[in-house]
């Protein structure tokens, strides 16, 4: 199944869900917005809201973003909140789970 691609800003209160596929956002995800995918999430912009990858339980799912400022990150039910993300803030990131923990890595 092809990825679900959304162009533009995802605004507060909006929720975008990519069922059984990856989600690609060409734009930013605002505070209070939520993006969900059963696969990977790619955000070509800032992630300020919530991102939930592997919503169907896929532990190999990842979240890629250009500028991490998220309220919440979750992959296959493992999550971290804004306070735990602070040291990775404002950086391009590849986020995944290893040993039931969220792991951050630079895109560059």
């Amino acid at each position: 199944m092809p990825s679900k691609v959304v162009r533009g800003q995802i605004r507060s209160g909006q929720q975008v869900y990519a069922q059984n596929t990856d989600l690609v956002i060409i734009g930013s995800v605002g505070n209070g917005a939520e993006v969900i995918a059963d696969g990977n999430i790619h955000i070509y912009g800032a992630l300020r809201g919530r991102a939930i990858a592997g919503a169907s339980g896929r532990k190999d799912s990842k979240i890629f973003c250009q500028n991490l400022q998220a309220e919440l990150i979750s992959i296959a039910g493992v999550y971290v909140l804004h306070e735990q993300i602070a040291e990775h803030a404002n950086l391009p990131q590849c986020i995944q789970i290893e040993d039931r923990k969220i792991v951050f890595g630079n895109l560059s």
Side-chain angles (χ1 to χ4, degrees), residues 65-79:
C65 68
Q66 295 294 314
N67 185 335
L68 181 64
Q69 301 175 38
E71 298 166 357
L72 175 138
I73 293 288
S74 175
I75 300 174
V78 179
Y79 69 92

Side-chain angles (χ1 to χ4, degrees), residues 14-82:
Q14 287 184 303
Q15 182 185 74
V16 177
Y17 175 47
Q19 186 174 14
N20 300 320
T21 192
D22 292 351
L23 177 61
V24 178
I25 306 291
I26 302 172
S28 294
V29 177
N31 292 324
E34 188 171 69
V35 291
I36 305 169
D38 288 338
N40 301 309
I41 297 175
H42 302 261
I43 302 170
Y44 296 99
L47 169 56
R48 294 185 188 95
R50 296 178 296 278
I52 301 165
S56 61
R58 278 188 43 197
K59 293 179 172 78
D60 63 336
S61 297
K62 296 177 177 59
I63 299 171
F64 305 91
C65 68
Q66 295 294 314
N67 185 335
L68 181 64
Q69 301 175 38
E71 298 166 357
L72 175 138
I73 293 288
S74 175
I75 300 174
V78 179
Y79 69 92
V80 293
L81 299 173
H82 178 74

